[in-house]
Amino acid sequence: MTDTITEYRTEGENSLYAGPDGKVVPVVTRAGEEDTNTAQSGDCIRVSGVSIQHTPATKIWFGQVSNVPGYRSLPHHHGEAETGGYVLRGQGRIYYGENYSEFLDMKAGDWVFVPPFMPHVEANMSVTEELVWLTARTPENLVVNLPDVADETLADYRRA
C-alpha cells in the first residue's frame, strides 16, 4: 500500500493570512465571540463576524445588523465600500435620495445592494418585531454618519 499525498494548489499568494505558526487555515468566529466594537449609526447595531478586527481578513467585512422594533439608523454612507445585505427577519426600509424621500422596502429573504457613497437611512418598519440582516461590505466596515433628520421627514416611519 502506498501513501497518498494530497497537494493543494493555489493560484495566488496568501501568506499574509498565516497565523503565528506560519499556517494558513480557515478562521471560525464562535457564537458570542463576535466583535461588537464596530462602527455604529444610532440605533442600527452592527456585530462583526468576519473582519480585520478579529480575523486575518483584509478586504471584507461580514456581520449582522439589527434594529430593535421601531428604530432606525442615523443617515450615513459607507465610503468607497460596496454593501450587500440579506434580510433574515423583520420588515426593513432603506430611505435614500434627496432628503431621503425615496425608499425601498425589504422583508425576510430579500437581498439588497447599496452602492458606495450613497447616503441612506435603514429603518425597522415594525414597532413589535426586530429587524435582523446579514451584511457584507468590501473593503471594510466603513461608516460615515451624516447629520440626522427628523423622523417626520421619513415616509410612514414611526418609532415604537
Side-chain angles (χ1 to χ4, degrees):
M1 182 169 162
T2 55
D3 290 333
T4 302
I5 298 175
T6 302
E7 181 179 335
Y8 294 96
R9 299 175 57 116
T10 60
E11 297 297 319
E13 170 60 43
N14 66 0
S15 63
L16 79 105
Y17 303 106
D21 61 1
K23 291 183 179 178
V24 177
V25 298
V27 175
V28 175
T29 301
R30 300 288 178 202
E33 296 178 2
E34 301 90 349
D35 189 321
T36 57
N37 188 24
T38 186
Q40 308 296 345
S41 297
D43 294 317
C44 181
I45 307 302
R46 297 181 184 91
V47 176
S48 171
V50 175
S51 71
I52 197 169
Q53 286 79 21
H54 55 97
T55 72
T58 62
K59 299 176 186 162
I60 188 170
W61 183 89
F62 182 48
Q64 180 176 289
V65 181
S66 61
N67 297 79
V68 295
Y71 282 84
R72 65 174 174 90
S73 71
L74 293 171
H76 64 282
H77 67 76
H78 299 289
E80 72 265 21
E82 293 184 334
T83 300
Y86 177 77
V87 181
L88 290 172
R89 63 182 179 272
Q91 299 289 322
R93 178 174 282 181
I94 294 186
Y95 294 94
Y96 64 96
E98 187 173 342
N99 299 317
Y100 305 101
S101 60
E102 299 178 64
F103 58 86
L104 293 170
D105 289 325
M106 302 167 295
K107 62 183 182 341
D110 288 345
W111 301 84
V112 63
F113 170 71
V114 179
F117 300 103
M118 175 178 271
H120 61 283
V121 172
E122 301 155 9
N124 184 345
M125 298 306 286
S126 172
V127 294
T128 60
E129 296 179 29
E130 184 179 41
L131 170 64
V132 179
W133 46 8
L134 297 178
T135 300
R137 192 168 289 127
T138 181
E140 172 56 285
N141 185 39
L142 305 173
V143 178
V144 178
N145 288 316
L146 302 170
D148 203 0
V149 295
D151 289 349
E152 298 76 34
T153 66
L154 302 172
D156 303 320
Y157 175 71
R158 64 195 184 287
R159 288 198 181 257

